[in-house]
Amino acid sequence: MDRRPLLSALSFLALPNAWLFAFFVLPMATMVLYSFWQVIDYEIVADFTFRNYQRLTQNLYVTVFWRTVKISIYVTALSLLIGYPVAYYLARRVKRFRLTMLMLIILPLWTSYLVRTYAWMLLLGTNGVINKALLAVGIVDEPVSWLLYSDFAVTVALVHIYMPFLILPLYAVMEKLDGSLFEAARDLGGGRLRTFLYVTLPLSLPGVATGCIFVFIPSMGSFVTPELLGGTRSILIGSIIAQQFGVTYDYPFGSALALAVMAAILAFAAVALRYGRPRGVR
Amino acid sequence: MTHRPTFNILAPSNISRRGLLKAMGPPGLGGVALAGGLRPSFAQDKTLNYFTWSAWGDKQFVADAKENAGLDLKTTFYSSSDEMMAKLRGGGTRLYDMIVPVQNYVHLAAKAGLIEPMDPANLPNASLVFPEFQGTEDWSYEGKLYGVPFVWGANAIAFNRKETGDVTSMDPLFDPKYAGKIAMRDEPEDSLAVGAMRLGIEKPFQMGEAELQEVKKLLISQKPLVRSYWRDFADVRNMLASGEVVVAWTFLAVIAPLREAGIDAGWVWPKEGAVGWNEAVTPVKGTQNLALVEQYANHTLSAEFGEMMARTTRYAPASKAAVDKLEPEMVKDLGIDTSTISRLVFKQVPPDKARWNEIWNEVKAA
């Protein structure tokens, strides 16, 4: 048997495998190992313990964890509600300015994440643009204080920051949909709504799933935006993880927390991919 | 006794940088390591990598170091003592030449092998410092000197006089009249100490679990009044400047920029007490520029540096010679009177720091 093709395939894969091993497998394995160690007097001690995982069950971490999951779900759902029509419009309706409009969606990504977060402070502040406009129009008598330093501010900013990551994969899927299916639906007497419900929506589900995953993952880990825009209750799990690595030097507990977040993300991704298969058209 | 192996994240703690480079083999590899981020040092180079609070790395301090000490400061900032420790422990000892610890972290940092002692003979300006800050136990560990404070003060209350009138106590921080107009610091030591002082607990940094729970209860009850917990000093400055808040627990450095912006900003050590501190320049373990660090530390104790610092930041110099150069009105305005030190609760590292962090997170998550 000629083994040359096999060898050449293996050598072709060597580089990506080495890359994956160095930048994914190795850091993950390190994190798993650290999560079973502990810190004593600013020293990481390699004594095997389940203590970090036991700490995860404390009321504090469970509460913060669920808050994070809830806000991430809100952000993902809102991004989908706003992003879906945008992607649909771009992929199925616009012809001439499609590229320009796509550029407009990508453009904010060229600005620093931090700058975009600070921009929301200028918009939502007590003396910010929105409050000034509301006062000028006479909708309110005094500035609305819950716009900034609240869950509302965090959700709005995260939707703004991550929505492009939902629109782009959704657009990519919708743009490739076979036009003859829509013609067939119309020929069979399907109206716009029925065509959308029975053809467009089921076929776009893979894009929906990918887009939702792309928004949910960074939302779960976000900590800069909640710290800058969140109110006194806006502590998210990302902040606690960052605190373990950057402030309290508790890498083992930080690793355990990060692994717990990763497990939640994997569960979300599994559900999204399970229900994100194209369906309804056989 | 069983030996427990310990780990420094980026390199074993018991190996010097020189040893590390040697262990890495040929000079070429050492060069690669330097390019990869290790703290560079060259014999003729007068650059010091300065890991510090933002106040001490501002442009006027960098310009002063260049002009009056011939040193180039390359500054990186931290916003809490915990962050300083974590970053030094996480590999920062190979990146920085000197830090400015608060007195309560000196023993901890020395014990963890993160800082380097200095030769008192190289700090002749120490004789200019108020006796209260000379030769204190805080700055010596195992008989070695780790710094002489160039500045002292307290974290306390800044307020917008137009909105609050004069403030003398912590009342406005807990007054529903200022609901949504109050900022507190997002840092366990400061914030829990505020709660403890408010409750009249005598030794805030020695609190037991029952007292911690009382403080937690008080701070949770304060939460609906608090607009935001600030982590970065620039954030609280912006909040006060934009009118988002009118009273804040903060650093004194906030006052000068607010007054420059035309705000009648007041500053008070409330009658319940304030969180006292003093700070000094300390060499980071393994620095190749120890002589230059000592030169800079000595410079910060000079009358000229203290005067410049007081005029630009309004912080109190620990140097008596510096205070002598200031006008009496300014001395009064700055509250530079060492007899008032008794009103301060000087920071200590709490016995169970992890528990303090947890209690603070519980307040924030409540």
Side-chain angles (χ1 to χ4, degrees):
Chain A
M1 189 185 137
D2 191 356
R3 291 189 173 184
R4 269 174 304 179
L6 181 68
L7 279 175
S8 101
L10 282 177
S11 62
F12 182 72
L13 289 174
L15 197 62
N17 277 334
W19 181 272
L20 261 179
F21 184 78
F23 296 105
F24 181 72
V25 179
L26 212 56
M28 280 293 291
T30 311
M31 210 157 78
V32 171
L33 200 62
Y34 267 65
S35 72
F36 290 106
W37 290 350
Q38 54 185 314
V39 172
I40 297 172
D41 287 340
Y42 284 94
E43 291 281 359
I44 291 170
V45 178
D47 273 354
F48 188 88
T49 175
F50 281 112
R51 192 173 157 264
N52 298 313
Y53 288 97
Q54 280 164 356
R55 276 176 79 186
L56 290 181
T57 59
Q58 283 177 24
N59 197 25
L60 164 67
Y61 303 110
V62 173
T63 310
V64 175
F65 194 84
W66 281 117
R67 275 180 51 77
T68 312
V69 170
K70 244 173 17 192
I71 287 195
S72 302
I73 288 175
Y74 292 156
V75 170
T76 309
L78 265 171
S79 300
L80 185 61
L81 266 175
I82 304 167
Y84 194 98
V86 174
Y88 178 82
Y89 184 72
L90 272 177
R92 312 294 319 166
R93 293 272 176 262
V94 178
K95 291 251 157 37
R96 273 185 68 193
F97 298 108
R98 185 180 285 179
L99 212 63
T100 316
M101 292 180 82
L102 267 175
M103 281 301 290
L104 287 175
I105 288 164
I106 298 168
L107 213 58
L109 301 179
W110 294 3
T111 318
S112 149
Y113 177 99
L114 205 58
V115 170
R116 279 179 283 161
T117 301
Y118 272 113
W120 279 104
M121 288 175 111
L122 295 176
L123 288 171
L124 301 173
T126 309
N127 296 310
V129 177
I130 293 175
N131 260 321
K132 280 193 172 153
L134 290 174
L135 285 166
V137 180
I139 295 176
V140 292
D141 295 330
E142 54 182 42
V144 184
S145 63
W146 55 260
L147 288 179
L148 187 58
Y149 301 122
S150 60
D151 283 356
F152 169 80
V154 174
T155 308
V156 167
L158 288 180
V159 167
H160 164 236
I161 289 167
Y162 296 131
M163 200 161 51
F165 297 113
L166 184 135
I167 293 177
L168 294 176
L170 203 48
Y171 165 82
V173 168
M174 285 192 186
E175 203 242 344
K176 287 195 179 71
L177 294 183
D178 187 351
S180 60
L181 290 170
F182 299 101
E183 281 174 28
R186 273 198 298 275
D187 290 345
L188 292 169
R192 278 188 170 188
L193 184 66
R194 282 167 71 88
T195 305
F196 174 75
L197 287 177
Y198 292 102
V199 182
T200 316
L201 186 61
L203 287 175
S204 66
L205 283 179
V208 171
T210 315
C212 286
I213 290 170
F214 281 1
V215 174
F216 186 81
I217 291 175
S219 298
M220 280 291 289
S222 64
F223 65 97
V224 174
T225 305
E227 284 198 357
L228 288 175
L229 303 180
T232 52
R233 291 187 67 243
S234 295
I235 184 170
L236 297 188
I237 205 75
S239 298
I240 294 188
I241 294 175
Q243 200 182 60
Q244 305 310 315
F245 286 95
V247 179
T248 56
Y249 189 68
D250 196 344
Y251 285 24
F253 184 53
S255 300
L257 276 168
L259 287 169
V261 169
M262 211 171 283
I265 287 170
L266 283 176
F268 180 87
V271 172
L273 293 174
R274 166 76 182 78
Y275 291 100
R277 291 182 191 146
R279 64 188 66 209
V281 179
R282 295 181 179 89
Chain B
M1 195 179 99
T2 50
H3 173 73
R4 287 190 299 204
T6 60
F7 296 80
N8 188 341
I9 306 302
L10 299 179
S13 55
N14 58 352
I15 188 167
S16 69
R17 179 161 43 105
R18 193 178 292 171
L20 186 70
L21 293 181
K22 216 172 175 182
M24 289 179 74
L29 275 180
V32 170
L34 278 172
L38 294 185
R39 178 178 55 206
S41 70
F42 307 99
Q44 291 83 16
D45 191 356
K46 288 205 155 192
T47 300
L48 286 175
N49 289 290
Y50 192 20
F51 191 36
T52 183
W53 302 93
S54 58
W56 312 132
D58 255 15
K59 55 181 184 297
Q60 71 268 25
F61 288 92
V62 175
D64 168 77
K66 181 79 188 160
E67 206 174 303
N68 299 316
L71 296 168
D72 289 314
L73 301 186
K74 275 183 73 182
T75 54
T76 311
F77 302 134
Y78 49 83
S79 58
S80 72
S81 296
D82 279 336
E83 187 187 343
M84 175 199 81
M85 288 291 287
K87 291 204 170 142
L88 285 182
R89 206 65 191 88
T93 47
R94 288 176 286 144
L95 300 173
Y96 310 115
D97 291 301
M98 56 184 184
I99 55 169
V100 182
V102 181
Q103 84 283 344
N104 57 335
Y105 276 77
V106 175
H107 286 196
L108 212 59
K111 195 176 161 198
L114 303 175
I115 53 178
E116 193 86 57
M118 284 188 277
D119 183 349
N122 294 331
L123 304 172
N125 285 342
S127 62
L128 304 174
V129 166
F130 282 108
E132 286 86 343
F133 300 112
Q134 279 190 48
T136 61
E137 275 180 25
D138 285 334
W139 292 94
S140 298
Y141 183 72
E142 292 183 342
K144 290 173 182 160
L145 179 73
Y146 285 88
V148 177
F150 66 88
V151 63
W152 67 284
N155 299 342
I157 297 175
F159 54 95
N160 185 331
R161 209 183 308 266
K162 198 180 136 210
E163 304 288 335
T164 61
D166 273 324
V167 170
T168 55
S169 73
M170 284 184 184
D171 289 351
L173 291 178
F174 296 87
D175 190 343
K177 194 169 132 195
Y178 303 113
K181 297 275 182 188
I182 297 164
M184 294 291 287
R185 189 177 178 201
D186 185 1
E187 199 254 355
E189 279 172 34
D190 246 37
S191 297
L192 298 190
V194 170
M197 286 185 285
R198 175 73 173 168
L199 291 173
I201 293 170
E202 236 173 67
K203 292 184 174 171
F205 293 104
Q206 303 292 327
M207 281 190 283
E209 183 64 23
E211 288 168 318
L212 281 172
Q213 290 298 334
E214 284 302 307
V215 168
K216 184 174 102 178
K217 220 189 301 171
L218 172 73
L219 295 177
I220 289 174
S221 72
Q222 185 206 25
K223 275 185 77 171
L225 312 179
V226 178
R227 183 83 167 124
S228 181
Y229 296 121
W230 62 271
R231 182 173 282 272
D232 191 286
F233 168 68
D235 293 333
V236 68
R237 192 182 56 202
N238 291 341
M239 279 188 252
L240 282 159
S242 65
E244 290 289 344
V245 300
V246 298
V247 56
W249 187 267
T250 180
F251 302 157
L252 174 62
V254 80
I255 297 299
L258 288 179
R259 289 195 178 168
E260 268 170 38
I263 295 166
D264 184 7
W267 173 258
V268 68
W269 294 357
K271 63 180 183 205
E272 296 90 337
V275 179
W277 50 263
N278 54 71
E279 291 172 356
V281 169
T282 302
V284 167
K285 188 78 178 176
T287 174
Q288 302 269 300
N289 296 312
L290 184 59
L292 292 180
V293 173
E294 287 175 332
Q295 185 197 329
Y296 188 67
N298 188 51
H299 172 66
T300 62
L301 302 174
S302 68
E304 294 72 24
F305 178 94
E307 184 192 4
M308 178 274 296
M309 179 189 75
R311 292 192 191 283
T312 52
T313 65
R314 300 176 49 82
Y315 276 115
S319 159
K320 186 177 179 310
V323 175
D324 290 343
K325 287 171 85 82
L326 303 171
E327 302 77 25
E329 310 83 68
M330 190 177 188
V331 172
K332 195 177 165 219
D333 192 35
L334 294 175
I336 305 171
D337 180 358
T338 46
S339 68
T340 57
I341 282 181
S342 58
R343 289 176 60 198
L344 304 182
V345 177
F346 273 86
K347 278 195 166 192
Q348 295 166 16
V349 175
D352 190 354
K353 240 194 103 37
R355 183 69 188 130
W356 273 54
N357 287 333
E358 223 156 56
I359 291 272
W360 179 237
N361 279 335
E362 284 170 14
V363 171
K364 288 199 292 175

